[in-house]
Amino acid sequence: MELTLAVAIGILSASGVYLLLRPRTFQVIIGLSLVSYAVNLFILSMGRLRMDAAPILSGSDANIADYADPVPQALVLTAIVIGFAMTALFLVVLLAARGISGSDHVDGKGD
Amino acid sequence: MAIDSSLRTGPLPSIPTDFALPLLCALPFLASVFVLAAPGEKYRGAAWVTAVVAAILSLLSIALFPAIANGEVLISRIEWVPQLGLNLTLRLDGLAWLFAVLITCIGFLVVLYARYYMSPKDPIARFHALLLAFMGAMLGLVLSGNIIQLAIFWELTSLVSFLLIGYWYHRGDARDGARMALIITGTGGLALFASMLVLGHIVGSYELDDVLASGSMIVESPLYPVALILFLLGAFTKSAQFPFQFWLPNAMTAPTPVSAYLHSATMVKAGVFILTRFWPVMHDHQLWFWIVTYTGLATLLFGAYTALFQRDLKGLLAYSTISHLGLITTLLGMGTPLAAVAAIFHIANHATFKASLFMAVGIIDHETGTRDVRKLSGLRKYMPFTATLAIIASAAMAGVPLLNGFLSKEMFFTETAEFDPNVFVNLSLPIVATLAGMLSVAYSIKFVHGVFFGPPPTELEKVPHEPPALMRRPIEILVLICLAVGIIPGITIAPYLAAAVHSVLGAETPYYSLSVWHGFNLPLVMSLIAMVGGAAIYVPYYRKLRDIDGVPLTRGLVGQRVFERLLVTATNRWARHLVGAFGTQRLQPQIFVVIFLALAAGIGAAWARIGNLPLPQSFDPVLGLVWLLGGISALAAAQQAKFHRLASMILMGGAGLATCLTFAWFSAPDLALTQLLAEIATTVLILLGLRWLPKRSPISEPAPVAARFRRYRDVVLAALVGLATALASYAIMTRSAPEGISDFFLANAYKQGGGTNVVNVMLVDFRGFDTMGEITVLGVVALTVFGLLRRFRPASDSADRPEQQRMLDDYAPGSGDTVADDFLRIPALIMNWMFPVIVVVAIYMLMRGHDLPGGGFIAGIVMSLAFILQYLAGGTRWVEERLRILPLLWIGWGLLLALLTGLGAMVLGAPFLTSAFAYADIPLIGKVPMATALIFDLGVFALVVGATVLMLIALAHQSIRRPKVSGSNKPKQRMGVDKWN
């Protein structure tokens, strides 16, 4: 399980980083999304992996050892929403840059 | 060493130290600000304010003498960060007192003088404000009882002197001179600061008292050479010692009162001041002797020699100043107590005669319009008083008996003539000293003879006459001091000199005699040789010396030119080469470097700690299958992103889906929901944007070698990053979790937050403030997107209708925007019908969020998707004819609601965003949790709806407006539904 997730995080970040280094804005935006998947999974894994232990309490007398760590989850939830906002902003900036410079190169010039 | 104030005796015991010293230091700065705030920059009253302040300061410092006359030290300490040894400590002893009196009294005379010197056209308020600030900086420097503070005031003097030298900043030479002075002395100041840190490190304290009491600790420290070199760099640059002397002549572009003040008594004396200040704890070392003595000696000779060849009178005085500073430095370098006495004595003497000479030159300049020695001649007949004063001061400069310069020079000769076992030292010191003495006699004669004697001047534009009597008065006072000290030193200077000497030498204070006549001895012979030799140099060559400008032979090797070439080379050429070699405006290399460094730092930090990785314990084939597909999707998305954007985006969605399943798998249902919904919204967003990107098709011929190399290089880096993150996460996941704060949330979510969904309770309650910030960011981003798109201009090649739509036009003319009607009629109908269902789901998600997976974020995105589906099904116009969404209002109300919930808690006396909860018993439905957090979540919900819808719709509207193509001037044709644009 741990190995599967670790490999997944590795593949996601490798593909994402490769795309971040590419010259086209569209490649970068896809890369950014892939990297944020990797990062979100990585943060989640900081709480260690638990199955069937969602942090939904059964009542006031719940045993806290029965539940997964809620802190990384709260952080990742925030990260997903901010990631969405970032993607939107980046998309609009890249469209504006493309409109002004006529190019979709990250430097705004070249073809 | 500090004595109790009750022990002090004197005529003015009423001035408490804790008041007098801070006043001495702070008053000039306060007055400076006051003068700057004066109405109009030509405000003449500024001179009065400055004069009054300078007079008060002079009297105050003079009045403090009884308190330190017998070797006492006054200390006033204001603590700032005592743990770090950072205090504002003001410390007055004999040496500091001597300097404080020189600074304030000569400052006062300079202000009087400037009153007549400065033109009414000059911005006089700025002049006086800067003069006061400089006085404050100098006083702060000499009164510093903390060596860090000393370095700070030191830099402050450099900074203010920069502004003073560049006072006439409309003149290029003033700007150049000021810049050069700042660079040289400022760099030296940094070196001094570093040396102070080293000294503080060696001694273990930054208090000057502790440093001075450290005995031989500094000299014996292995760090001594480092500290010494840095220290001397600071002192030598400030006091214009060879080879840093060249800034001083260039600083002569300052107004003459500034030169009279800065370059006689204050600024340049700061260097010899700290040499004297630290002399007791640093001089006892061979390194000190050789460097300081011979730098001083070289400066002494060089300055005197160069002064002889100056045409500009201020240039002559500047080089003479350099030479005299060299003399003082030499004395300090010799390391004997008697030499230190002579140095302190000469500091005071030089300040008086050199200040008066600068002022005299200012008068000559003022009355004749020139300082060029070739044009001046025979002025004695036109301004006899000024001539007499200048002649006496020059005689003091040359070391003529019965003047103060003679006494200290005689002491200098005595010291150089002392026997030294080293033959080189034994010979070089007296010979160079005599030679420099001859030269200084020669340039003094040149000054006096060239300006005041000879035939009447012919090249002057106006007939010179005596200046106003008050302009002469400061010079008269200074010359009177020169005479009084020279004739009756025992009465005039002895007690003050004794106090200053005692504060430096303490118990080592030697016996010294200030009497004028010591009998016919070697120093007197040296003086006589200097007198006769000086005349012998001048008389045969005086016509040649009059016309020459600059030193023969070495004229090309001017420090200034070396400096300027270095400046151009280092700050321009090298900088450009560096930028050319290492800098780039291109983003790709920058990102590469950032990622590379991050990887290197991560590996560096983790290398030793990663330990042995355990073998995998379990393998889940389903999860493996999910990630087999997810991984392939990610890799394929990376591979396809260049030419097949749509495919790449779909593949990215595959990876996102795998991520979403993983969240669900590992007990994070909220995350799974949010991820899924955000994924949908992102996909719609990117789909809307794709239309504006250029068409790009694969090229058949192979890419150039450079491009392929870059690609492989990036593959390698990406693979390394992937490997590193995989290893790191595996290493962490296979260890047990440390004790964290998680248990607190699990234990208290229900008791304190009133909800069973811990993640949601954390978001809206425990970390509510954080969420508040987050939704603000989301709102700002949405508004930014909206704002950017209002000014959006598509590139010319994507302004037309897309190829697919044009094909459709050919096939079925008039179908236009209602693609859905033609192709997606049934799905569109379903989407329409789903609207109320999705809205209900959204509300359900919102209501149950506190106890079960759901919440404001999730509900908000669900709700916005309901709207977006209608756009997809019916087209923009169809929706907007039926539905007014007003996302800006959603955003505003959402934020306001969240804020009001928080403020409501404050009204009730609880901290911001504290929530309260209860269970309401509603008929038919049963017990419903009612927490104020729900209202907060409602705000989050509204904002998320508004922000998401605003972004998506603003982007969608770009397709139906007929936008101005970037670069074209066609007027925008407004369409019916255009409120978005």
Side-chain angles (χ1 to χ4, degrees):
Chain A
M1 258 178 2
E2 283 84 4
L3 186 66
T4 315
L5 190 60
V7 171
I9 291 172
I11 290 177
L12 285 173
S13 48
S15 337
V17 164
Y18 175 73
L19 283 177
L20 288 186
L21 294 167
R22 301 270 58 73
R24 304 292 153 192
T25 49
F26 185 78
Q27 293 173 306
V28 176
I29 204 170
I30 299 283
L32 220 47
S33 295
L34 291 177
V35 169
S36 63
Y37 296 153
V39 171
N40 288 345
L41 285 173
F42 185 75
I43 297 176
L44 182 80
S45 73
M46 291 299 103
R48 307 303 183 270
L49 304 181
R50 299 275 299 264
M51 287 167 69
D52 302 322
I56 312 288
L57 303 173
S58 59
S60 57
D61 53 349
N63 177 12
I64 56 173
D66 292 344
Y67 301 99
D69 190 345
V71 174
Q73 297 196 18
L75 294 178
V76 173
L77 203 130
T78 312
I80 292 173
V81 178
I82 291 290
F84 167 66
M86 183 183 68
T87 307
L89 188 63
F90 183 54
L91 181 77
V92 173
V93 169
L94 84 83
L95 291 181
R98 149 92 173 128
I100 292 166
S101 67
S103 161
D104 69 336
H105 194 282
V106 285
D107 294 332
K109 49 195 170 191
D111 60 349
Chain B
M1 281 171 92
I3 57 146
D4 194 60
S5 57
S6 61
L7 288 176
R8 278 195 279 119
T9 53
L12 281 168
S14 55
I15 312 172
T17 310
D18 284 340
F19 176 70
L21 294 187
L23 183 72
L24 206 54
C25 192
L27 186 62
F29 289 111
L30 295 177
S32 169
V33 174
F34 177 78
V35 170
L36 263 191
E41 58 174 13
K42 298 200 170 58
Y43 176 59
R44 302 297 299 189
W48 289 107
V49 176
T50 314
V52 168
V53 169
I56 293 174
L57 293 171
S58 308
L59 293 174
L60 184 62
S61 38
I62 291 170
L64 283 169
F65 181 70
I68 53 101
N70 297 314
E72 300 92 336
V73 178
L74 302 185
I75 287 195
S76 159
R77 182 170 293 137
I78 302 164
E79 293 202 339
W80 180 37
V81 192
Q83 299 86 346
L84 294 176
L86 294 177
N87 302 314
L88 183 70
T89 311
L90 297 173
R91 178 183 184 280
L92 186 77
D93 61 2
L95 183 68
W97 181 85
L98 181 70
F99 268 90
V101 168
L102 284 177
I103 292 162
T104 52
C105 293
I106 295 187
F108 174 66
L109 297 177
V110 165
V111 173
L112 285 191
Y113 175 78
R115 165 76 182 76
Y116 294 94
Y117 179 86
M118 299 303 283
S119 150
K121 278 174 262 167
D122 289 321
I124 202 71
R126 180 158 58 88
F127 175 81
H128 285 286
L130 289 174
L131 210 60
L132 281 167
F134 188 80
M135 198 182 285
M138 271 314 288
L139 284 170
L141 171 64
V142 299
L143 292 177
S144 281
N146 178 299
I147 58 176
I148 304 270
Q149 181 192 338
L150 185 134
I152 290 169
F153 278 111
W154 177 277
E155 285 290 29
L156 202 56
T157 59
S158 295
L159 211 60
V160 184
S161 79
F162 164 74
L163 296 171
L164 276 169
I165 297 168
Y167 173 70
W168 285 317
Y169 53 64
H170 54 273
R171 287 168 41 180
D173 58 343
R175 292 197 300 271
D176 288 347
R179 187 186 56 198
M180 188 184 293
L182 180 67
I183 293 176
I184 301 287
T185 59
T187 312
L190 289 179
L192 183 83
F193 185 41
S195 83
M196 290 299 135
L197 293 178
V198 177
L199 286 185
H201 177 75
I202 294 173
V203 177
S205 163
Y206 293 106
E207 291 296 301
L208 186 59
D209 265 340
D210 299 337
V211 174
L212 291 182
S214 68
S216 58
M217 193 192 277
I218 294 172
V219 177
E220 283 160 12
S221 160
L223 286 172
Y224 175 75
V226 182
L228 181 70
I229 297 296
L230 290 168
F231 176 78
L232 292 181
L233 271 178
F236 287 174
T237 49
K238 198 80 155 189
S239 278
Q241 295 298 294
F242 186 83
F244 307 111
Q245 80 294 340
F246 54 88
W247 70 264
L248 187 60
N250 283 292
M252 289 300 134
T253 47
T256 299
V258 172
S259 308
Y261 191 40
L262 265 62
H263 305 140
S264 69
T266 53
M267 172 83 173
V268 294
K269 287 286 162 63
V272 288
F273 167 75
I274 57 152
L275 284 180
T276 319
R277 183 87 282 178
F278 290 90
W279 186 88
V281 289
M282 288 183 85
H283 80 275
D284 199 10
H285 197 284
Q286 282 296 304
L287 214 51
W288 169 284
F289 172 78
W290 288 103
I291 299 179
V292 179
T293 308
Y294 282 93
T295 305
L297 214 55
T299 313
L300 167 67
L301 192 61
F302 172 84
Y305 181 64
T306 315
L308 195 55
F309 300 99
Q310 297 302 308
R311 231 158 35 188
D312 180 5
L313 290 179
K314 273 178 85 176
L316 186 150
L317 292 184
Y319 279 105
S320 148
T321 301
I322 292 173
S323 158
H324 280 273
L325 291 166
L327 189 155
I328 299 168
T329 307
T330 312
L331 281 168
L332 291 168
M334 284 192 253
T336 58
L338 270 172
V341 175
I344 297 168
F345 192 23
H346 198 68
I347 286 172
N349 292 338
H350 175 254
T352 45
F353 67 68
K354 194 50 68 65
S356 60
L357 280 173
F358 269 116
M359 289 182 192
V361 167
I363 287 178
I364 294 165
D365 190 9
H366 206 254
E367 300 304 328
T368 64
T370 182
R371 300 192 312 246
D372 192 330
V373 80
R374 286 172 308 170
K375 296 184 186 167
L376 295 167
S377 156
L379 289 186
R380 184 172 51 104
K381 299 191 181 68
Y382 300 91
M383 34 174 80
F385 282 113
T386 310
T388 311
L389 296 171
I391 290 167
I392 298 173
S394 309
M397 176 163 77
V400 172
L402 296 184
L403 289 162
N404 60 355
F406 171 74
L407 294 176
S408 42
K409 197 164 220 170
E410 203 73 347
M411 289 166 96
F412 171 60
F413 284 157
T414 313
E415 284 309 303
T416 55
E418 283 291 313
F419 175 75
D420 192 286
N422 187 319
V423 181
F424 173 69
V425 176
N426 205 19
L427 288 177
S428 62
L429 281 176
I431 290 174
V432 174
T434 316
L435 208 56
M438 281 159 67
L439 289 167
S440 85
V441 170
Y443 69 68
S444 300
I445 301 178
K446 173 179 174 172
F447 177 74
V448 170
H449 180 255
V451 174
F452 296 111
F453 292 89
T458 49
E459 294 176 56
L460 297 182
E461 285 160 11
K462 50 184 178 182
V463 180
H465 56 81
E466 282 288 348
L470 278 172
M471 191 173 179
R472 231 169 40 220
R473 204 104 314 151
I475 310 181
E476 288 165 2
I477 295 171
L478 288 169
V479 167
L480 200 65
I481 295 174
C482 290
L483 281 166
V485 171
I487 297 167
I488 39 169
I491 305 168
T492 48
I493 188 80
Y496 310 110
L497 185 63
V501 165
H502 185 77
S503 72
V504 175
L505 297 173
E508 273 189 82
T509 309
Y511 169 78
Y512 57 91
S513 157
L514 287 180
S515 54
V516 179
W517 178 252
H518 286 108
F520 193 79
N521 52 12
L522 185 58
L524 192 65
V525 173
M526 287 164 78
S527 274
L528 286 175
I529 294 173
M531 296 285 167
V532 176
I537 293 174
Y538 181 71
V539 174
Y541 296 109
Y542 81 92
R543 282 184 202 286
K544 273 190 184 163
L545 282 174
R546 187 182 164 87
D547 290 332
I548 207 162
D549 191 30
V551 185
L553 299 180
T554 59
R555 210 174 293 164
L557 190 77
V558 189
Q560 179 190 353
R561 275 190 219 156
V562 176
F563 170 79
E564 272 164 5
R565 204 166 304 153
L566 198 67
L567 204 63
V568 168
T569 315
T571 63
N572 190 358
R573 202 167 315 146
W574 288 356
R576 257 186 304 152
H577 283 312
L578 272 178
V579 170
F582 297 110
T584 177
Q585 295 197 325
R586 289 164 54 228
L587 293 173
Q588 281 175 279
Q590 295 180 20
I591 294 197
F592 186 89
V593 171
V594 168
I595 293 174
F596 181 80
L597 289 179
L599 179 66
I603 291 176
W607 191 259
R609 301 179 203 173
I610 199 144
N612 287 330
L613 294 179
L615 290 172
Q617 299 290 315
S618 58
F619 177 74
D620 194 307
V622 181
L623 189 71
L625 189 64
V626 164
W627 275 109
L628 182 67
L629 296 174
I632 290 172
S633 302
L635 292 171
Q639 203 257 327
Q640 293 291 315
K642 185 163 190 184
F643 298 117
H644 302 283
R645 298 194 185 108
L646 188 63
S648 167
M649 200 195 67
I650 294 167
L651 288 165
M652 180 193 97
L657 214 57
T659 307
C660 173
L661 285 173
T662 310
F663 285 146
W665 196 278
F666 293 118
S667 315
D670 281 277
L671 295 194
L673 268 174
T674 316
Q675 177 72 49
L676 184 67
L677 293 161
E679 199 62 40
I680 296 170
T682 311
T683 306
V684 176
L685 200 71
I686 296 180
L687 277 176
L688 286 167
L690 277 183
R691 176 209 175 311
W692 303 106
L693 290 173
K695 195 175 161 66
R696 188 167 294 284
S697 34
I699 315 156
S700 51
E701 71 236 39
V705 181
R708 263 186 303 171
F709 167 73
R710 266 204 307 275
R711 220 171 287 159
Y712 288 131
R713 185 195 63 186
D714 293 350
V715 166
V716 170
L717 181 67
L720 285 175
V721 170
L723 191 66
T725 45
L727 276 176
S729 49
Y730 185 74
I732 293 170
M733 280 187 279
T734 48
R735 277 156 211 228
S736 54
E739 196 73 17
I741 53 170
S742 310
D743 289 351
F744 169 84
F745 296 113
L746 287 168
N748 291 297
Y750 190 73
K751 277 184 230 149
Q752 294 186 13
T756 54
N757 181 358
V758 184
V759 174
N760 183 270
V761 173
M762 282 176 71
L763 285 180
V764 298
D765 192 336
F766 293 127
R767 293 176 64 239
F769 201 52
D770 199 42
T771 307
M772 178 92 208
E774 191 197 349
I775 58 174
T776 313
V777 170
L778 199 60
V780 171
V781 166
L783 293 177
T784 313
V785 165
F786 181 53
L788 277 173
L789 286 174
R790 276 164 66 95
R791 305 215 162 247
F792 176 65
R793 301 275 180 279
S796 51
D797 57 330
S798 17
D800 286 336
R801 287 163 69 75
E803 196 185 334
Q804 292 82 353
Q805 283 187 17
R806 285 202 302 266
M807 277 162 60
L808 207 66
D809 287 344
D810 297 339
Y811 170 70
S815 57
D817 289 325
T818 55
V819 186
D821 280 351
D822 302 323
F823 299 97
L824 296 169
R825 198 161 285 176
I826 292 170
L829 194 66
I830 297 173
M831 286 189 226
N832 281 340
W833 286 356
M834 286 300 283
F835 182 67
V837 179
I838 300 178
V839 171
V840 169
V841 170
I843 294 170
Y844 173 64
M845 283 290 174
L846 176 66
M847 298 295 287
R848 74 172 210 160
H850 217 47
D851 287 330
L852 292 165
F857 282 117
I858 290 165
I861 304 179
V862 170
M863 185 76 177
S864 56
L865 290 179
F867 290 125
I868 295 305
L869 276 182
Q870 303 316 302
Y871 274 79
L872 288 179
T876 311
R877 298 207 173 90
W878 184 88
V879 176
E880 285 171 5
E881 280 159 21
R882 287 160 183 78
L883 201 61
R884 281 173 64 81
I885 303 175
L886 303 176
L888 289 173
L889 280 184
W890 283 84
I891 293 179
W893 280 110
L895 204 54
L896 206 59
L897 202 60
L899 195 65
L900 286 175
T901 318
L903 290 177
M906 286 179 88
V907 170
L908 296 173
F912 187 63
L913 280 172
T914 308
S915 76
F917 71 94
Y919 281 82
D921 205 350
I922 298 174
L924 298 177
I925 297 176
K927 276 198 168 184
V928 173
M930 296 294 283
T932 55
L934 184 66
I935 308 174
F936 182 75
D937 223 8
L938 193 65
V940 173
F941 164 77
L943 188 130
V944 172
V945 173
T948 316
V949 170
L950 182 66
M951 290 192 278
L952 289 170
I953 294 183
L955 201 50
H957 268 263
Q958 299 309 319
S959 291
I960 58 159
R961 69 192 252 219
R962 291 288 173 267
K964 232 200 279 186
V965 175
S966 111
S968 88
N969 294 322
K970 269 187 276 177
K972 192 164 83 177
Q973 297 169 356
R974 285 206 158 261
M975 298 302 290
V977 201
D978 218 18
K979 64 172 184 283
W980 295 100
N981 311 320

